[in-house]
């Protein structure tokens, strides 16, 4: 590769070299060209006239499948494979065995590297790895734009009508197929000019009527809980919805020949321009209201106003970003998947998506501009990619993958009732994370032994007002009812930071994650915590009550919270409420400062729960929601393994049970590492229980512990590769 010269002659030499070294009769390189077509670029063994003439669409044939799934494929008899696409000009009928790997840079597939042999042989792991290594080197050359110019790649992406593939980050696994619905901010206007202004004005008037009624309903719902100032603000919002001047301007634009949508958009843009110039914050806010109303009006015009009424049956929701409550606004029955331009694994929208079992891909650059409303979309949550307007080949390959996924699901169902016990007889307790009532039925289905983390804030985040004791009690009673005799650990309100409450105005903070949130807030606003504790004690109705406090930073905070529990318990007993059979209090370990107070803390707590999402972000000083940092630091790294091992050893010595309830627990490879750190209780979303259980059942805990302890001492950024190789070697599924 370093020898220089023309790219073509370098590729020609590369295929010769690989064929010779791998004792293969054929070695070929395919490059991804404009329009997502794979072109044979160089070959040793196939007919030379096929070079630059043989082409396969993405998803077509074995090469197309590798490019589509971004996964290697090795077959001893390729011609028997359903996806084999015969190209006579290549003369490949002579070759039976086939092994190909994607040439990829990050999530982007740039080509495919293939070797073939005459005999029906099977290629080993090592050979596949060798090919992958070569593909990595080739990817550099491809990525530099020497093979296919960078312009060629771009021109495809810019063209709205061609199929589009967008790579992203898997936030929740799973596959789905459906129609694109663009979330509020991304309404795309397909038709700009209209023949008949009167018809457009009639459409506008109808949409305005709908919108006004919807705004009135929304305001009526909120009115009860407003103070004067908030009431005024909302009243002015209502005024705008009825503002004649604004509507007149839209009508004028329609009369100049635009569609109603285009006219609203024009006026919205004008407003935006004006807003950018205004300094007075009060007026800016008013203009922002007007801009927001324009979005609502556009939604009513295009029939996309977040309501289930107009959602297609199989909706793939495309958004820049979403709050957890916004996602819940959509009708789950019609949602199939979510695609976000932003987002990270531990963002709360991702957590809600997992709870809802929605495949979700984040960091899909340009999704809103490249996917149009109504497009047919495939979400591949195995490989982190989204296809809009896919061709037949892609659809077929995808359907085959879906069938495979169903088969895997059946395998998973088979482990549901088996114990989570390792090969060397160590039991690992697998618990479920929950936060919504709709999570609870999953408890029976997934085979978890209880709820390790009940995030109480989610119901608070989706309501219009702070729920009172009765409301909360009713909610927690349902949780108790549905968990039956299984343990459930309630976490007290963890709001603030990335979890704002719609009805609680908070000062803007420079660093909300490290700001006034969780226990800090509820200790300062003790009524919030008191009401919650009362509701929990009443709902327990004499059962065991497990409560844990989020973001404990200082031992005195835990003591203060415990004091409140004791006071509320005494009050409730005096009122005649049946006391819980036992109250167990735990601290969440999310803030590093607590690590150096363990000696004092452990004797006063009943359990410890590691919130690895926050702990990781504070230990690495890496914002859990910042997509630029997602790949920079690895939780499977010596510092994290060392920290978790030491912490668990300390807790074990004090006889305090440790659970880990962050997202790490739900990934089989991470779970393997956590078990190696000595952790025996893992709490995760329902969908992760079966895969993690499969991993546990295949493990030898003693061996994994030795390995992890060794890895914790290495001088390396990540030990993920070593753990993966270990699991592969031992046939441990991950
Ligand atoms: C965590 O931080 O790991 C955790 C479980 O809490 P949350 O994700 O709700 O902040
Ligand atoms: Mg947390």
């Amino acid at each position: 590769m370093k020898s220089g010269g023309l790219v073509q002659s370098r590729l020609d030499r590369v295929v010769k070299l690989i064929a010779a070294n791998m004792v293969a009769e054929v070695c070929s390189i395919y490059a991804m060209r404009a329009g997502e077509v794979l072109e044979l670029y160089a070959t040793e063994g196939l007919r030379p006239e096929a070079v630059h003439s043989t082409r396969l669409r993405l998803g077509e044939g074995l090469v197309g499948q590798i490019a589509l799934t971004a996964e290697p494929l090795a077959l001893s008899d390729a011609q028997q494979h359903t996806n084999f696409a015969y190209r006579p000009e290549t003369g490949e009928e002579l070759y039976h065995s086939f092994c190909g790997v994607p040439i990829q840079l990050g999530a982007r597939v740039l080509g495919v590297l293939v070797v073939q042999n005459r005999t029906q042989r099977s290629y080993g792991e090592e050979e596949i790895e060798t090919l992958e290594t070569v593909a990595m080197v080739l990817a550099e050359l491809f990525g530099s734009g020497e093979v296919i110019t960078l312009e060629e790649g771009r021109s495809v992406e810019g063209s709205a009508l061609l199929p589009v593939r967008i790579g992203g980050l898997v936030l929740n696994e799973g596959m789905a197929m459906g129609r694109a619905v663009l979330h509020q901010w991304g309404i795309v206007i397909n038709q700009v000019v209209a023949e008949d202004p009167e018809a457009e004005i009639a459409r506008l008037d109808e949409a305005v009527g709908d919108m006004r009624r919807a705004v009135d309903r929304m305001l009526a719902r909120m009115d009860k809980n407003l103070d004067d100032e908030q009431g005024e603000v909302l009243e002015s919002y209502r005024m705008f919805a009825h503002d004649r001047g604004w509507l007149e301007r839209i009508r004028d634009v329609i009369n100049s020949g635009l569609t109603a949508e285009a006219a609203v958009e024009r006026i919205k843009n004008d407003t935006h321009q004006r807003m950018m110039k205004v300094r007075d914050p009060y007026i800016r806010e008013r203009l922002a209201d007007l801009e927001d109303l324009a979005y609502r009006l556009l939604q009513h015009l295009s029939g996309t106003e977040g309501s289930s009424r107009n959602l297609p049956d199989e909706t793939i929701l495309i958004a820049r970003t979403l709050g957890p409550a916004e996602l819940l606004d959509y009708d789950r029955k019609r949602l199939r998947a979510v695609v976000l331009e932003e987002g990270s694994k531990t963002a709360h929208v991702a957590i809600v998506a997992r709870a809802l079992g929605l495949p979700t891909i984040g960091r899909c650059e340009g999704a809103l501009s490249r996917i149009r409303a109504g497009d047919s979309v495939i979400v591949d949550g195995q490989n982190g990619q989204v296809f809009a307007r896919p061709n037949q080949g892609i659809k077929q390959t995808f359907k085959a993958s879906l069938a495979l996924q169903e088969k895997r699901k059946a395998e998973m169902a088979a482990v549901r009732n088996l114990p989570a016990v390792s090969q060397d007889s160590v039991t690992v307790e697998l618990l479920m994370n929950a936060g919504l009532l709709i999570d609870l039925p999953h408890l029976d289905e997934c085979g978890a032994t209880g709820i390790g983390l009940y995030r109480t804030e989610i119901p608070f985040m989706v309501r219009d007002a702070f729920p009172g004791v009765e409301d909360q009690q009713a909610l927690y009673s349902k949780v108790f009812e549905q968990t039956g005799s299984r343990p459930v650990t309630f976490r007290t309100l963890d709001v603030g930071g990335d979890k704002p409450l719609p009805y609680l105005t908070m000062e803007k903070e420079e660093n909300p994650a490290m700001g006034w949130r969780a226990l800090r807030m509820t200790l300062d606003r003790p009524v919030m915590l008191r009401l919650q504790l009362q509701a929990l004690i009443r709902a327990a109705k004499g059962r065991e009550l497990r409560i844990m406090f989020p973001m404990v930073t200082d031992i005195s905070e835990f003591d203060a919270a415990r004091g409140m529990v004791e006071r509320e318990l005494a009050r409730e007993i005096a009122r005649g409420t049946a006391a819980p059979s036992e109250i167990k209090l735990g601290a969440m370990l999310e803030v590093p400062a607590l690590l150096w107070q363990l000696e004092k803390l452990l004797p006063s707590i009943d359990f410890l729960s590691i919130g690895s999402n926050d702990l990781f972000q504070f230990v690495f000083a890496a914002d859990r929601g910042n997509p630029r940092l997602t790949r920079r630091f690895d939780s499977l790294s010596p510092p994290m393994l060392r920290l978790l091992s030491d912490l668990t050893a300390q807790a074990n010595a004090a006889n305090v049970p440790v659970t880990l309830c962050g997202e790490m627990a739900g990934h089989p490879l991470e779970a393997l590492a956590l078990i190696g750190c000595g952790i025996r209780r893992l709490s995760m979303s329902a969908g992760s229980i079966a895969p993690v259980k499969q991993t546990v059942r295949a493990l030898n805990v003693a061996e994994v512990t030795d390995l992890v302890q060794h890895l914790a001492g290495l001088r390396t950024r990540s030990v993920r590769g070593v753990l993966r190789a270990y699991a592969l070697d031992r046939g441990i599924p991950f």
Side-chain angles (χ1 to χ4, degrees):
M1 297 289 286
K2 278 196 190 143
S3 66
L6 287 174
V7 173
Q8 185 67 50
S9 67
R10 272 191 280 166
L11 292 180
D12 291 344
R13 263 177 292 154
V14 168
V15 288
K16 269 202 173 57
L17 254 171
I18 302 170
N21 274 282
M22 294 194 60
V23 201
E25 278 107 19
V26 176
C27 174
S28 313
I29 294 173
Y30 294 80
M32 182 84 83
R33 304 219 57 163
E36 312 239 291
V37 170
L38 291 145
E39 180 175 307
L40 180 63
Y41 238 73
T43 186
E44 166 71 8
L46 296 184
R47 293 204 190 117
E49 56 269 32
V51 174
H52 298 303
S53 107
T54 291
R55 291 182 172 183
L56 292 153
R57 275 175 294 134
L58 187 66
E60 186 186 17
L62 303 175
V63 169
Q65 175 172 335
I66 292 167
L68 177 64
T69 57
E71 274 177 11
L73 182 66
L75 301 164
S76 57
D77 194 355
Q79 296 174 24
Q80 295 306 312
H81 193 279
T82 46
N83 222 357
F84 180 75
Y86 178 52
R87 289 287 193 270
E89 73 275 11
T90 59
E92 68 178 327
E93 62 275 15
L94 301 174
Y95 308 103
H96 285 278
S97 45
F98 171 105
C99 177
V101 297
I103 299 171
Q104 66 187 125
L105 259 191
R108 211 149 56 93
V109 176
L110 305 170
V112 175
L113 174 65
V114 174
V115 290
Q116 288 171 280
N117 281 79
R118 274 175 207 266
T119 52
Q120 294 194 10
R121 52 158 304 198
S122 42
Y123 299 89
E125 269 317 324
E126 242 174 66
E127 285 167 297
I128 299 175
E129 274 176 25
T130 306
L131 269 189
E132 284 180 320
T133 310
V134 178
M136 263 167 58
V137 181
L138 285 171
E140 294 299 322
L141 183 70
F142 276 65
S144 69
E146 284 179 76
V147 182
I148 304 292
T149 61
L150 298 175
E151 287 70 38
E152 182 175 329
R154 268 198 288 275
S155 68
V156 186
E157 297 185 350
S159 168
L161 293 170
L162 285 172
V164 162
R165 188 181 72 91
I166 308 174
L169 177 73
V170 179
L171 302 185
N172 190 31
E173 288 187 4
M175 305 206 190
M177 197 166 181
R179 298 256 153 226
V181 169
L182 308 182
H183 179 66
Q184 190 180 5
W185 305 103
I187 292 166
V188 172
I189 294 164
N190 291 322
Q191 208 182 333
V192 180
V193 277
E195 299 271 323
D196 181 357
E198 271 172 27
E200 291 302 304
I201 287 184
R203 287 183 57 228
L204 176 74
D205 288 345
E206 192 183 329
V208 167
D210 286 350
M211 181 194 73
R212 282 178 182 160
R213 282 186 288 278
V215 166
D216 286 345
R217 274 197 303 277
M218 181 182 85
L219 297 187
R221 256 190 292 137
M222 291 164 83
D223 263 357
K224 295 185 251 35
N225 312 295
L226 298 178
D227 62 28
D228 287 352
E229 193 193 351
Q230 289 164 328
E232 248 171 58
V233 169
L234 289 180
E235 196 45 47
S236 72
Y237 191 85
R238 192 197 319 262
M239 257 169 49
F240 275 129
H242 292 262
D243 185 81
R244 278 164 177 257
W246 181 56
L247 290 173
E248 276 314 315
R249 289 171 59 216
I250 297 175
R251 286 204 186 96
D252 286 348
V253 179
I254 292 179
N255 280 325
S256 77
L258 297 196
T259 56
E261 286 91 339
V264 175
E265 178 78 14
R266 254 279 298 284
I267 298 300
K268 178 169 74 67
N269 291 342
D270 288 355
T271 313
H272 186 78
Q273 298 281 332
R274 276 194 291 147
M275 194 171 93
M276 300 316 284
K277 294 191 193 117
V278 173
R279 281 176 183 271
D280 181 330
Y282 181 81
I283 299 183
R284 260 185 99 109
E285 279 298 312
R286 301 288 80 72
L287 290 173
D289 281 359
L290 205 49
E291 207 186 14
D292 181 62
L293 272 174
Y295 279 117
R296 279 176 194 275
L297 186 51
L298 272 178
Q299 283 182 315
H300 282 275
L301 272 171
S302 58
T304 54
E305 72 276 15
S307 79
S308 53
R309 191 160 40 98
N310 293 305
L311 282 188
D313 274 345
E314 307 201 311
T315 295
I316 309 278
L317 186 62
I318 321 274
R320 187 170 62 77
T321 179
L322 279 175
E326 280 176 302
L327 178 55
L328 288 167
D329 261 350
Y330 285 90
D331 179 0
R332 169 67 188 97
K333 288 200 284 301
R334 288 167 194 263
L335 280 184
R336 290 293 170 273
V338 179
V339 175
L340 302 174
E341 290 191 339
E342 297 176 3
S344 73
K345 279 191 190 252
T346 50
H348 277 92
V349 59
I351 293 171
V352 172
R354 273 194 281 282
L356 297 176
L358 279 174
T360 303
I361 316 262
R363 300 180 56 193
C364 290
E365 258 176 57
L368 277 173
S369 52
R370 294 162 69 191
I371 303 175
R372 298 174 320 165
D375 273 351
S376 151
V377 175
I378 289 175
V379 172
D380 172 1
Q382 247 55 50
N383 305 295
Q385 44 187 358
V386 177
F387 301 91
R389 306 180 286 279
N391 61 38
Q392 239 2 69
I394 295 180
K395 280 189 182 158
Q396 257 157 22
T397 306
F398 177 76
K399 280 184 185 143
S401 303
L402 261 184
L404 193 68
Q405 181 178 293
E406 289 305 314
K407 194 169 143 244
R408 290 216 183 102
K409 261 196 205 151
E411 285 169 13
M412 293 294 176
V415 298
R416 186 170 59 213
N417 297 319
L418 298 176
V421 178
S422 72
Q423 292 287 314
D424 51 344
S425 307
V426 177
T427 300
V428 179
E429 204 173 319
L430 302 184
L431 302 148
M432 190 181 105
N433 288 350
L436 294 167
L437 289 175
I438 48 168
D439 291 332
L440 295 173
H442 295 147
L443 187 55
D444 290 324
E445 288 158 25
C446 74
T449 49
I451 295 181
L453 164 65
Y454 193 90
R455 289 185 165 97
T456 57
E457 62 276 4
I458 296 185
F460 286 75
M461 289 164 73
V462 301
R463 279 172 198 233
D464 295 340
F466 195 89
V469 186
E470 284 78 22
D471 277 358
Q472 289 191 52
Q473 185 188 338
L475 191 77
Y476 305 143
S477 297
K478 286 203 189 107
V479 178
F480 273 117
E481 252 164 52
Q482 300 210 25
T483 46
S485 58
R486 288 161 292 200
V488 44
T489 302
F490 290 94
R491 176 175 74 182
T492 60
L493 265 185
D494 183 1
V495 290
D498 57 341
K499 304 174 211 178
L501 291 181
Y503 39 85
L504 193 80
T505 37
M506 304 216 312
E507 274 167 37
K508 193 168 158 21
E509 295 178 310
E510 284 292 331
N511 285 305
M514 297 195 280
W516 193 55
R517 57 173 284 206
L519 190 57
R520 302 162 183 193
M521 181 196 276
T522 49
L523 284 177
D524 287 352
R525 295 276 177 278
V527 178
M528 278 171 131
L529 190 53
R530 279 189 48 203
L531 294 181
Q532 186 168 35
L533 293 173
Q534 280 169 21
L536 283 168
I537 293 168
R538 290 181 201 171
K541 291 209 185 82
R543 284 184 41 166
E544 177 194 79
L545 176 60
R546 300 170 61 91
I547 301 176
M548 66 183 177
F549 302 106
M551 291 279 291
V552 178
T553 307
D554 182 285
I555 209 162
S556 67
E557 292 177 333
F558 179 81
D559 292 342
R562 167 196 292 278
M564 281 176 69
V565 174
E566 283 163 2
R567 277 193 298 281
E568 288 317 312
L569 181 64
R571 274 199 196 111
E572 285 304 311
I573 292 176
R575 256 180 107 240
T577 310
S581 62
E582 194 174 3
I583 296 193
K584 289 206 166 127
L585 298 182
M588 280 195 78
L589 200 146
E590 302 182 278
V591 181
L594 205 57
L595 288 167
W596 292 278
Q597 301 170 71
L598 283 177
E599 205 187 317
K600 302 276 181 325
L601 178 73
L602 288 169
S604 45
I605 57 179
D606 297 307
F607 60 93
L608 193 65
S609 195
I610 304 170
S612 54
N613 304 339
D614 276 313
L615 183 61
F616 182 81
Q617 83 165 343
F618 296 133
V619 166
F620 282 79
D623 181 348
R624 68 194 255 182
N626 186 334
R628 278 183 202 273
L629 297 175
T630 314
R631 292 205 179 93
R632 186 165 198 107
F633 306 107
D634 198 340
S635 50
L636 292 182
S637 55
M640 201 66 182
L641 298 182
R642 172 86 308 140
L643 186 162
L644 293 171
S645 301
D646 291 352
L647 151 66
T648 311
Q650 219 179 327
N652 285 347
N655 260 328
V656 172
V658 175
T659 306
L660 188 137
C661 62
E663 298 307 303
M664 265 181 101
H667 301 291
L669 200 63
E670 272 83 343
L672 174 150
L674 295 172
I675 293 166
C677 292
I679 299 174
R680 297 290 178 264
R681 279 176 203 76
L682 301 171
S683 194
M684 62 201 77
S685 47
S688 299
I689 300 269
V692 170
K693 195 188 278 184
Q694 278 193 321
T695 305
V696 170
R697 290 176 59 82
L699 284 187
N700 179 308
V701 172
E703 195 182 272
V704 166
T705 308
D706 283 349
L707 172 68
V708 169
Q709 294 313 311
H710 165 70
L711 296 179
L714 293 186
R715 188 177 191 279
T716 173
R717 188 188 77 83
S718 163
V719 297
R720 187 173 294 276
V722 185
L723 287 170
R724 202 182 269 153
Y726 168 80
L728 266 176
D729 244 23
R730 299 286 193 285
I732 299 169
F734 64 91

